[in-house]
Amino acid sequence: MHRVESETFSDSDEDFDALAELSKAGNISSKNLLSAVKREIAEVLTDAGFSDPGKSIFHKGRFWCDVQEGERPTGKAVSPGWAFARSQSEPLTPVHEAASIYMGIIFLESALAHGDMEKVFFNAFQLGVGINRFNARRRHLKRITIRKKSERGLREVSEGRAAANAEKAAKAKQWKMIAIRMANEYKERNPQASKSSIAIWISRNWPEDAGVLRPATNTIRQAI
């Protein structure tokens, strides 16, 4: 059994671009062109951890295995590889787009086999749009990913700075409350004491269990 964990792609378009150039060259049959696109799609899907899209597989949840001749395991569904990949991937992801292209080829081949020119035109148009979209997404995926990482990094830095500032403000409030309480206690015993002398006394007698570090004497003087 296999399990699909993730989708990994390079940002290269050379293979599909080569197919596009091949299709413009003329003197190539639809059968040969579709077969070439199928091979490229199969490579994309197998590189992502899925089965050959042209083969049938047994699957249960995200687990799958190839159908062996004469094998009839119970409790598992049977689907074409492309249909399983499409059902297990999110819309607009490379895997989902690739599986949709393969599905489009299946529909186009069926229309060609039946000689239905309306369906041939429609499915050929849809397939062309799908391949162009897939190529565009692969071409720009790396840049989009980098931008998202940059935006996420900036957001995390901003959030981290805000959290650090909030913690700093909370600690400042805490030590000021301690300093003012100690200053009031000292003033009750020494009403004529100056702020400097009170700050020196607070600094020397700062409680060990205060939970915050003792600020500088001059800082205490300014706070009281």
Side-chain angles (χ1 to χ4, degrees):
M1 294 292 287
H2 306 267
R3 182 176 180 180
V4 178
E5 295 289 351
S6 62
E7 302 170 7
T8 304
F9 299 90
S10 70
D11 58 347
S12 173
D13 309 290
E14 295 179 359
D15 295 332
F16 275 95
D17 287 344
L19 288 174
E21 292 301 319
L22 184 63
S23 67
K24 297 176 184 176
N27 299 321
I28 180 171
S29 68
S30 59
K31 181 179 179 180
N32 290 338
L33 179 60
L34 293 178
S35 295
V37 177
K38 272 186 170 181
R39 287 194 297 270
E40 297 301 334
I41 288 295
E43 185 175 342
V44 169
L45 293 177
T46 54
D47 285 349
F50 289 91
S51 66
D52 185 325
K55 294 182 178 179
S56 295
I57 60 169
F58 292 115
H59 58 91
K60 186 174 184 180
R62 291 183 65 83
F63 290 93
W64 64 272
C65 65
D66 293 324
V67 175
Q68 303 298 324
E69 186 176 354
E71 188 178 14
R72 295 290 184 273
T74 59
K76 301 181 182 68
V78 181
S79 298
W82 66 264
F84 175 74
R86 195 167 186 269
S87 69
Q88 293 296 319
S89 55
E90 294 292 329
L92 301 181
T93 59
V95 161
H96 194 275
E97 295 281 323
S100 295
I101 290 173
Y102 202 94
M103 178 181 68
I105 295 173
I106 298 297
F107 289 165
L108 179 54
E109 288 177 333
S110 176
L112 287 167
H114 288 84
D116 189 332
M117 297 311 297
E118 285 294 325
K119 288 186 177 180
V120 168
F121 174 80
F122 175 78
N123 288 298
F125 178 79
Q126 291 290 94
L127 181 60
V129 170
I131 291 176
N132 284 336
R133 183 174 61 234
F134 183 75
N135 277 337
R137 286 183 60 78
R138 292 212 304 178
R139 182 175 290 112
H140 300 296
L141 183 62
K142 185 174 181 180
R143 296 186 183 91
I144 293 171
T145 301
I146 291 173
R147 179 177 178 181
K148 286 184 176 179
K149 287 182 178 179
S150 298
E151 290 175 348
R152 183 171 65 249
L154 291 172
R155 184 170 61 252
E156 289 174 353
V157 168
S158 178
E159 290 172 353
R161 185 181 295 114
N165 289 339
E167 183 180 2
K168 184 178 180 180
K171 288 183 176 180
K173 183 178 180 180
Q174 185 177 353
W175 73 253
K176 284 180 181 179
M177 290 177 61
I178 295 172
I180 291 171
R181 174 177 56 79
M182 293 179 69
N184 291 336
E185 292 175 355
Y186 190 83
K187 285 180 181 179
E188 290 180 359
R189 298 191 301 270
N190 304 279
Q192 304 302 319
S194 64
K195 281 190 174 183
S196 295
S197 61
I198 296 174
I200 293 172
W201 179 84
I202 292 174
S203 180
R204 291 174 178 174
N205 294 275
W206 191 259
E208 295 181 358
D209 59 349
V212 289
L213 294 176
R214 181 192 65 192
T217 303
N218 189 52
T219 302
I220 294 175
R221 185 185 65 78
Q222 293 175 354
I224 61 174

